[in-house]
Amino acid sequence: MTATATSVSAPRGKARGRPALKLWHRWFGLLTGLWLLLLAVTGSIITFYDAIDTALNPDLRSVPVEARGPVVTDCPIGRAVARAEDEIEGFTASMIDLPDRPNESLWLIGRVVRDDGAVSAQAFVDPRDGTVLGWRESGKLALDRRYLMDIVYGLHVDLLIAPWVTWAFGLISLLWVVDHVVSVVLAIPRARLWI
């Protein structure tokens, strides 16, 4: 009597589970990796928001060369804000970013109220005399130098805190937990016997 070797194999229906798990793990990793890459790239860019925006918009972010002078200002902040609100129709400042260096402009963030509604806006003022250097609508979808950094910033922030993204991030987090279980199963060679 001869003994024959028999191999233990998983039931036929369950053998297909491992390739399906590999497929899930691969595609989930690639898609969420793209999302994380977009967050990383936009986050790296907005780290240098002020420097890049000043380089792209020196007419707004810097005091004109001929106007540069001593750091002492002739224009109190309140008068500069009032002048901006007078010159830009419907503008109301709600936040003031004071200049860090003598050549920087005063950055006012607020809203412009129009007939068709209110929009967020940024005004740039010479802190020495209150001259309005210009303004721009915040979050405007335009791919030119005026709005480029706001678009990058908005993209980064919306990927993190927009209401629908908060819900999506919760779902992705839950799927990540599932993916971690899948990766453990795939990492253990004998796990195929469990599936």
Side-chain angles (χ1 to χ4, degrees):
M1 206 166 170
T2 60
T4 58
T6 59
S7 63
V8 177
S9 64
R12 195 167 190 120
K14 291 187 178 181
R16 293 187 188 123
R18 191 167 180 86
L21 290 177
K22 282 183 180 179
L23 186 67
W24 157 265
H25 185 63
R26 179 181 303 128
W27 284 105
F28 182 79
L30 286 171
L31 294 175
T32 54
L34 289 174
W35 181 63
L36 289 174
L37 178 65
L38 188 58
L39 271 177
V41 169
T42 56
S44 298
I45 292 170
I46 64 171
T47 299
F48 304 101
Y49 181 97
D50 285 335
I52 295 170
D53 197 41
T54 300
L56 292 172
N57 301 294
D59 56 321
L60 295 179
R61 300 294 304 266
S62 301
V63 176
V65 174
E66 63 275 0
R68 290 183 190 162
V71 179
V72 178
T73 107
D74 299 345
C75 181
I77 302 275
R79 194 166 37 159
V81 171
R83 190 166 174 185
E85 289 178 344
D86 286 343
E87 288 188 29
I88 303 168
E89 188 179 340
F91 179 71
T92 305
S94 58
M95 189 179 103
I96 302 169
D97 186 13
L98 299 173
D100 295 324
R101 294 183 263 318
N103 66 331
E104 289 182 349
S105 63
L106 189 65
W107 188 6
L108 309 175
I109 300 169
R111 298 183 76 69
V112 172
V113 178
R114 301 179 185 160
D115 292 337
D116 59 344
V119 295
S120 297
Q122 304 168 24
F124 300 90
V125 179
D126 187 334
R128 289 160 181 78
D129 61 6
T131 302
V132 176
L133 303 172
W135 73 281
R136 66 183 173 198
E137 187 179 316
S138 297
K140 183 176 179 180
L141 192 57
L143 293 176
D144 65 11
R145 67 184 178 89
R146 286 277 191 247
Y147 304 101
L148 183 62
M149 287 309 296
D150 275 356
I151 289 172
V152 172
Y153 184 84
L155 181 61
H156 182 78
V157 169
D158 285 344
L159 286 172
L160 292 175
I161 61 171
W164 70 270
V165 175
T166 303
W167 182 86
F169 188 62
L171 178 62
I172 289 170
S173 298
L174 181 62
L175 292 175
W176 242 320
V177 171
V178 171
D179 188 58
H180 280 68
V181 171
V182 168
S183 64
V184 168
V185 169
L186 291 173
I188 301 172
R190 291 283 183 185
R192 71 176 182 271
L193 297 176
W194 305 344
I195 300 174

